[in-house]
Amino acid sequence: MRQVRVAKFRRASLAIATLALLTLGASSGYTETTVEVIHYFNVEGQVQALADIQKDFEKANPDIKIKYTYVPFGELVSRTLQMAAVHKAPAIAAIDNPDVLRVAKSNILEDISQEVNKLPIWSDIYPGPKKAVTADGKAYGVPIGSNSLALYYNKKMLSEAGVEPPKTWQQLSDVATKTTKSPVYGIAFSAVNTEESTWQWEPFLWSNGGSLVDLTSSNAVAALQLWVDWVSKGLASKDALNWEQGDVASQFTGGRAATMVMGPWMLDAVKKSGVDFGIVPIPVPKEGAKPVVPLGGECWCVLKTNSQVEAAAMKFISFTEEPERLRKLCDTFNYISSVKNIAKQQGESNPQLVPFVEQMDTAKARSEDGGAKYPEISLATRTAIQRAVSGQAPADQALKESAAKINSILSKN
Amino acid sequence: MSESQMTNLVSFSEGYGSQRSRFNFSPYVFVLPCALFAAALLFYPVVSSLALSFRQATVDTFVSGDMPFNGLTQYQAAIGDPVFWRAVINTVLFTVFSIVFQFTIGFLLALLFQFEFPLKSFCLALLLIPWVLPLLTSANIFKGLFNEAGLINQLLHLAGNRPIPWLADRQFALPATIVANIWVGFPFNFVLLYAGMRNIPVELYEAAKLDGADYWRRVFQITLPILKPVSVSVLMLGTVYTVKVFDLVWIMTGGGPANSTHLLSTYAYQVGFSILNFGEAAAIATLMVLLLLILNLFQLLMKPR
Amino acid sequence: MISGLSSSRWHLTAIVLVVTAILLSPFYWVLMGSFSTPAELFGTHLTLWPKRLAVENWSNALSRLWPHVNNSLIVSTTVSLCTLVLTVPAAYALVWLRPRGGKLLFNFLLITQMLPAIVFVVPLFVVFSQANLVNNLFGLALGDMTFTVPFALIMLCAYVKDLPYELVEAALVDGATQFRSFVSIVLPLTLPGIITVGIFSFLIPWADLIYALSLVTDETLQPLTLQLYKALGQYGIDWSFLLPGSVLTSIPAVLFVILASRFILAGVTRGAIK
């Protein structure tokens, strides 16, 4: 009975679709291509920027129509997969860079190596973002922009405590200790049970030479111990286990934290809050070491549809990656551009962005640790983070258990 | 009503009380639309989910469609995972405590509302607010209330106690979510029980009053027994819905800290959508149904049919 | 029927209002927060009421949500009516006439209630995509009904079972006027139950997020809940939209309940415990 109903629907919609196609084909002189772009940008400024790009692009390319489809942040990957599974894939998906390789593994992304080499900016892209979209010599996406993490600090609180903005871990702990005074905590960061906590921990792990695929190393243990000590000594709130980065920022702007680990996307909000703040690069374990921060930011990925749609999609992507337009896009989206030239320009016009720009040279793509398996590895990692920070297990034991899980993930095919 | 429907009603009353052995069309007419709906829109997803639980359905295979059959592997993986069992225990605790309090509060309120008083419908509507408020908001509100700097700790502080890291501590996180769930769920029990109580004829109470029974005696001897079918349904549905609660816990704790507040629903979601292993998620969902059937077995057997 | 002095009625109202106030206290936070700026919400001093009422939160939320009220209304009303149409006759038939397979249907529906929503959403998305029911309000209504129909049937069976057997038999035995007695005696007895189930069948789709999320991507067709979900951005929660938006989303639902509950209260006056 159910099959009859579904079959009836299929027949009906097939008939309607055929009719529609015929009439469309008959009425227009040429076939118009619709490029559907699926994304999760919903901040006012971003939406406007996207609309402007759409207008300019359609004017320059009258035979292509752009259609934006918004999905909530956590749903993008699963929605893209579902749409591909029912053969209604969008033309372009703006995928968060650590997910690109995983989605590529499902075979729904087109290999665009040839096309991207024709892009003028391609050769000027930082090594980090490029690694996030390439595997086995093939390119599966084009970075739109990047961001990372640095240390915001409350100028007033630090000067009152008589400390300078920290450069090393020791100095950071020192600053945190001296600025912690109820109800203010010295430092705020996110250790929540989502990707955000792995992301926030990575600067400390990687700057100390550790890696997610070897969590038992002493570098990793030391990096986690840093966080554990902050919480156990009362320099950071235990609620960090529940804070998403938005909550961390609220703590800082509300005057409840003297420093916070945060990225450039919060600049406007923090400026608006009236707090007198400064930004320094992520403190490093020892003097002179280089900070290694994780890369955020989305990439345009082309899905396998048909040659006409894919060609139109590449046209759109190249359009957005034209230097001037890209610069404007990155500024509106609060990205640091993945293109060296443009990033340097951004740093020159806005000194507050300089720490982020400097860090781009050594920034690392998250999927470098584990490739398509990164999301699973991240899940195991944050379990260790949560267990250690909440005091359920000592850092080295928590990491050992997660490392075992990660090894089994890596050995699966 | 049309002619044919009138005819149906005639045979409806004729079939009523008469020999069951005689094959009667009309009940099937009444049930058919509902059964068709179930067959079309409910049967297929259930079967497809069951099928999915036996196949390796991850990112790579899901899209291509050729998900290889791998038998009980996913069930074994789920059962072998200590987090799964943590989730089972949490789900049972969460459900039992939520139901007990929700039902009690709902029942007492329903009793209270049997009296007539001014502004009654206004108050009824007000009391539905916790249920009507988008879960997104309720969950975030409670998350804020249970924050280290939140209202509840402030009240504790006023009472001279130390603040408790509610959502960051393994011991307190689950109780916090239970409190939130009680708040969200009591109106459901309240209204359904209230409607059930409206049905009880006044004469029964009058008679009992004449016999000298006081208020609570009347409640225990008349209200409770007559309300049994409704109560059982409310408890049963309440149990089922509570086991399925997802958004509330996911938003408040995300299953943390360190997987200590995972319910089966949040765990299944994490497996399905965070690491995109749809097959294992389907297996967990099926195990969830088994758990529910066990929890409900007593009620199912007792169901007065 | 109403015993006691007339002054005791307000006495009761006072008690109920106090109980309501206590039970609803978290909601106060919602109200207070909706008039605050984000900085105030997380500031170091918790105030009982914000210094300045940030009314712009409300006007902003209203303008963003207003275009979508229609969508939610259409879906909820459709679901409520269709659910009742499908389940009310079925409930009567299942309880009194006990057709073969009735128990099977009942238990099957009960089992479907036990499965988490994601089990239904993904297969339905697949089927609906092919039947062009995606991005279609009726499709969304059908999706929501996969939850309300089993719920309604289970509850209605219980309410119907509640009816005193003799009353029903007496009403229906009289051949000439059975239709009239059905409508005037049997129906009103179960009306509170039917209305209640109808109310919940309205409220459930009103608050639904997961079906709307999967089945409706077209901006103009999205119901209120999806719009509200936008408050959960990449960068954190937009409280100044979420809080007033939640209250605004709840208002029509609450109004609807006030209206519909008059049927439960006014219709049958028999059920008061004295």
Side-chain angles (χ1 to χ4, degrees):
Chain A
M1 197 160 295
R2 157 190 59 87
Q3 285 160 327
V4 169
R5 282 171 79 119
V6 174
K8 259 206 190 138
F9 274 127
R10 283 212 193 107
R11 268 186 266 131
S13 49
L14 193 61
I16 296 174
T18 321
L19 251 163
L21 271 174
L22 285 175
T23 35
L24 265 179
S27 58
S28 51
Y30 48 79
T31 38
E32 201 178 62
T33 323
T34 305
V35 169
E36 185 179 7
V37 181
I38 190 172
H39 69 93
Y40 50 67
F41 304 120
N42 72 341
V43 175
E44 187 68 44
Q46 294 172 334
V47 174
Q48 189 56 46
L50 285 176
D52 291 338
I53 293 182
Q54 175 186 11
K55 217 172 15 158
D56 294 338
F57 181 78
E58 284 178 352
K59 217 177 353 167
N61 298 275
D63 57 335
I64 305 180
K65 279 256 156 312
I66 303 291
K67 177 169 158 224
Y68 290 121
T69 301
Y70 164 80
V71 290
F73 177 52
E75 312 279 322
L76 190 100
V77 174
S78 50
R79 177 64 60 86
T80 310
L81 287 171
Q82 278 176 29
M83 288 170 82
V86 296
H87 304 297
K88 289 217 168 117
I92 299 177
I95 304 184
D96 200 12
N97 76 72
D99 290 328
V100 173
L101 290 184
R102 175 171 66 155
V103 177
K105 186 154 178 245
S106 71
N107 223 354
I108 62 175
L109 293 183
E110 189 61 79
D111 169 18
I112 49 176
S113 323
Q114 287 187 341
E115 289 83 349
V116 294
N117 276 317
K118 299 199 197 114
L119 288 175
I121 47 109
W122 184 254
S123 49
D124 199 25
I125 293 188
Y126 285 102
K130 210 182 261 190
K131 278 240 185 73
V133 295
T134 44
D136 304 324
K138 304 203 187 104
Y140 292 104
V142 182
I144 309 176
S146 303
N147 55 50
S148 58
L149 290 169
L151 194 77
Y152 285 54
Y153 64 93
N154 186 320
K155 281 195 180 147
K156 186 151 158 262
M157 287 185 192
L158 261 65
S159 67
E160 273 174 9
V163 283
E164 289 290 312
K167 295 208 189 72
T168 66
W169 284 8
Q170 183 54 50
Q171 290 173 359
L172 178 56
S173 298
D174 198 42
V175 165
T177 315
K178 297 219 173 89
T179 52
T180 299
K181 180 172 46 184
S182 180
V184 177
Y185 282 99
I187 181 159
F189 57 90
S190 167
V192 78
N193 193 16
T194 70
E195 169 66 20
E196 289 182 285
S197 72
T198 320
W199 154 263
Q200 287 238 328
W201 187 55
E202 276 156 354
F204 300 97
L205 171 73
W206 289 341
S207 303
N208 202 26
S211 153
L212 289 177
V213 296
D214 182 19
L215 286 181
T216 51
S217 68
S218 53
N219 317 53
V221 176
L224 189 53
Q225 194 62 42
L226 187 69
W227 275 22
V228 172
D229 288 338
W230 287 342
V231 172
S232 62
K233 293 198 183 122
L235 307 178
S237 166
K238 216 168 170 193
D239 267 347
L241 289 166
N242 258 307
W243 286 338
E244 293 172 340
Q245 289 184 104
D247 300 318
V248 172
S250 302
Q251 294 290 313
F252 185 78
T253 55
R256 308 186 80 102
T259 63
M260 70 164 172
V261 179
M262 189 52 58
W265 61 85
M266 275 299 172
L267 258 179
D268 291 338
V270 178
K271 259 194 263 200
K272 232 195 314 199
S273 73
V275 171
D276 187 16
F277 72 103
I279 305 179
V280 287
I282 283 281
V284 288
K286 284 192 260 298
E287 191 98 28
K290 279 243 158 223
V292 181
V293 289
L295 278 170
E298 289 76 23
C299 311
W300 296 124
C301 297
V302 178
L303 282 95
K304 290 186 179 163
T305 41
N306 61 57
S307 49
Q308 191 186 354
V309 171
E310 287 180 24
M314 267 323 292
K315 262 208 192 142
F316 177 76
I317 294 177
S318 324
F319 187 77
T320 62
E321 299 277 338
E322 285 169 22
E324 263 180 45
R325 194 161 291 118
L326 187 61
R327 166 78 200 269
K328 204 154 141 238
L329 188 66
C330 288
D331 286 338
T332 326
F333 275 57
N334 278 321
Y335 280 142
I336 305 295
S337 175
S338 323
V339 179
K340 291 193 195 138
N341 222 325
I342 302 180
K344 296 226 166 62
Q345 286 175 25
Q346 283 181 300
E348 278 160 22
S349 53
N350 185 352
Q352 279 182 325
L353 291 178
V354 167
F356 296 107
V357 175
E358 285 177 358
Q359 288 176 162
M360 284 300 290
D361 286 317
T362 43
K364 194 167 135 169
R366 282 175 273 173
S367 40
E368 269 191 63
D369 273 0
K373 304 212 172 110
Y374 174 75
E376 282 183 71
I377 293 177
S378 168
L379 181 60
T381 309
R382 58 187 182 257
T383 306
I385 296 175
Q386 288 220 319
R387 295 194 65 208
V389 171
S390 67
Q392 277 177 38
D396 55 355
Q397 190 194 330
L399 284 171
K400 201 154 71 158
E401 289 169 12
S402 288
K405 187 131 208 283
I406 291 177
N407 280 330
S408 70
I409 294 172
L410 287 172
S411 58
K412 264 192 303 195
N413 97 320
Chain B
M1 264 206 176
S2 69
E3 264 284 312
S4 54
Q5 282 163 319
M6 292 270 278
T7 332
N8 276 337
L9 264 181
V10 170
S11 41
F12 171 94
S13 67
E14 278 177 358
Y16 182 81
S18 60
Q19 313 94 335
R20 294 280 182 279
S21 57
R22 189 172 62 143
F23 186 73
N24 199 328
F25 284 111
S26 48
Y28 295 97
V29 169
F30 287 124
V31 181
L32 199 63
C34 193
L36 272 180
F37 179 85
L41 291 180
L42 290 170
F43 191 68
Y44 169 63
V46 172
V47 168
S48 119
S49 164
L50 200 61
L52 206 64
S53 68
F54 294 112
R55 311 186 99 94
Q56 183 191 0
T58 54
V59 170
D60 353 348
T61 60
F62 181 73
V63 177
S64 60
D66 71 337
M67 303 171 278
F69 184 77
N70 64 2
L72 290 175
T73 321
Q74 264 132 205
Y75 286 93
Q76 286 170 330
I79 295 182
D81 191 342
V83 180
F84 173 79
W85 289 105
R86 175 87 244 155
V88 169
I89 296 174
N90 286 343
T91 308
V92 172
L93 286 174
F94 184 82
T95 307
V96 169
F97 280 101
S98 296
I99 296 286
V100 165
F101 282 98
Q102 281 175 0
F103 188 83
T104 311
I105 296 178
F107 189 81
L108 291 173
L109 279 175
L111 279 180
L112 185 57
F113 270 68
Q114 294 304 307
F115 295 99
E116 293 298 327
F117 52 85
L119 296 183
K120 192 165 155 185
S121 57
F122 176 68
C123 288
L124 187 89
L126 274 187
L127 281 173
L128 260 177
I129 287 181
W131 203 77
V132 167
L133 202 63
L135 209 49
L136 213 59
T137 315
S138 330
N140 278 303
I141 290 293
F142 273 94
K143 190 172 171 188
L145 286 175
F146 278 108
N147 248 340
E148 197 189 7
L151 196 61
I152 299 197
N153 274 336
Q154 302 231 336
L155 291 174
L156 279 177
H157 185 69
L158 282 176
N161 294 316
R162 284 177 50 232
I164 300 178
W166 294 98
L167 296 175
D169 191 315
R170 185 159 51 162
Q171 270 187 308
F172 295 103
L174 196 66
T177 59
I178 293 176
V179 168
N181 193 41
I182 294 172
W183 190 78
V184 170
F186 81 82
F188 177 75
N189 289 261
F190 162 48
V191 175
L192 288 172
L193 288 171
Y194 171 77
M197 285 183 193
R198 295 302 296 188
N199 264 342
I200 304 174
V202 153
E203 296 81 36
L204 290 175
Y205 291 115
E206 307 278 294
K209 221 176 11 183
L210 286 175
D211 277 349
D214 71 353
Y215 180 74
W216 288 106
R217 198 101 187 274
R218 293 203 292 275
V219 167
F220 276 101
Q221 288 193 329
I222 299 174
T223 317
L224 276 180
I226 298 190
L227 216 47
K228 194 156 130 187
V230 176
S231 298
V232 170
S233 291
V234 169
L235 279 173
M236 192 166 55
L237 282 178
T239 308
V240 169
Y241 296 157
T242 308
V243 168
K244 284 201 308 191
V245 162
F246 166 73
D247 307 49
L248 190 70
V249 177
W250 187 253
I251 292 177
M252 276 180 84
T253 63
N259 295 328
S260 56
T261 59
H262 261 309
L263 301 183
L264 281 174
S265 53
T266 57
Y267 184 56
Y269 185 83
Q270 183 173 286
V271 168
F273 289 91
S274 292
I275 58 180
L276 296 182
N277 188 340
F278 302 112
E280 195 173 331
I284 297 174
T286 314
L287 288 170
M288 209 160 108
V289 174
L290 281 174
L291 173 71
L292 269 168
L293 285 176
I294 295 174
L295 279 179
N296 266 314
L297 204 59
F298 182 61
Q299 285 167 325
L300 272 180
L301 287 176
M302 250 181 55
K303 190 103 187 66
R305 293 286 295 138
Chain C
M1 200 187 44
I2 297 171
S3 57
L5 305 167
S6 50
S7 63
S8 72
R9 289 201 277 156
W10 282 100
H11 198 217
L12 280 174
T13 309
I15 296 178
V16 171
L17 282 175
V18 167
V19 171
T20 308
I22 296 176
L23 286 173
L24 250 47
S25 39
F27 185 66
Y28 175 74
W29 224 77
V30 174
L31 277 180
M32 191 201 84
S34 67
F35 284 108
S36 317
T37 57
E40 278 178 328
L41 274 178
F42 291 96
T44 39
H45 345 274
L46 233 59
T47 49
L48 222 53
W49 194 255
K51 271 179 277 186
R52 180 188 74 86
L53 290 179
V55 191
E56 68 270 11
N57 290 347
W58 283 78
S59 50
N60 182 35
L62 188 62
S63 59
R64 279 172 75 170
L65 290 177
W66 183 250
H68 299 270
V69 175
N70 265 344
N71 298 334
S72 290
L73 267 176
I74 293 175
V75 173
S76 281
T77 318
T78 311
V79 171
S80 186
L81 289 174
C82 289
T83 303
L84 288 178
V85 163
L86 282 182
T87 53
V88 169
Y92 283 118
L94 279 181
V95 175
W96 291 339
L97 303 177
R98 308 206 186 172
R100 281 201 305 257
K103 198 162 181 190
L104 182 67
L105 178 66
F106 186 90
N107 285 325
F108 174 69
L109 290 180
L110 188 59
I111 291 185
T112 63
Q113 291 283 282
M114 296 183 187
L115 287 163
I118 44 170
V119 166
F120 293 95
V121 164
V122 176
L124 282 183
F125 173 74
V126 171
V127 169
F128 280 13
S129 307
Q130 290 161 338
N132 263 328
L133 282 173
V134 179
N135 274 328
N136 178 324
L137 288 181
F138 184 64
L140 180 57
L142 278 180
D144 287 328
M145 278 165 72
T146 58
F147 187 83
T148 58
V149 163
F151 158 75
L153 190 68
I154 294 171
M155 282 316 300
L156 282 173
C157 283
Y159 286 130
V160 171
K161 202 181 298 292
D162 238 359
L163 296 182
Y165 185 89
E166 309 78 28
L167 218 67
V168 172
E169 198 179 30
L172 289 180
V173 138
D174 184 2
T177 57
Q178 23 156 293
F179 170 56
R180 198 146 25 101
S181 21
F182 179 80
V183 168
S184 62
I185 298 179
V186 178
L187 208 59
L189 285 179
T190 41
L191 205 59
I194 295 179
I195 299 289
T196 308
V197 168
I199 291 179
F200 276 109
S201 303
F202 180 90
L203 293 177
I204 289 169
W206 189 268
D208 160 68
L209 185 60
I210 193 160
Y211 283 100
L213 207 52
S214 285
L215 298 176
V216 182
T217 45
D218 185 351
E219 181 82 27
T220 51
L221 289 175
Q222 287 182 348
L224 290 170
T225 40
L226 272 189
Q227 285 302 103
L228 213 57
Y229 195 50
K230 283 203 177 150
L232 258 59
Q234 257 186 301
Y235 303 145
I237 301 177
D238 182 3
W239 293 97
S240 53
F241 173 55
L242 183 68
L243 292 178
S246 311
V247 179
L248 286 172
T249 311
S250 312
I251 288 178
V254 173
L255 283 176
F256 175 76
V257 172
I258 294 182
L259 272 170
S261 69
R262 293 206 177 277
F263 284 97
I264 314 182
L265 296 174
V268 183
T269 55
R270 321 174 97 254
I273 307 174
K274 287 303 166 281

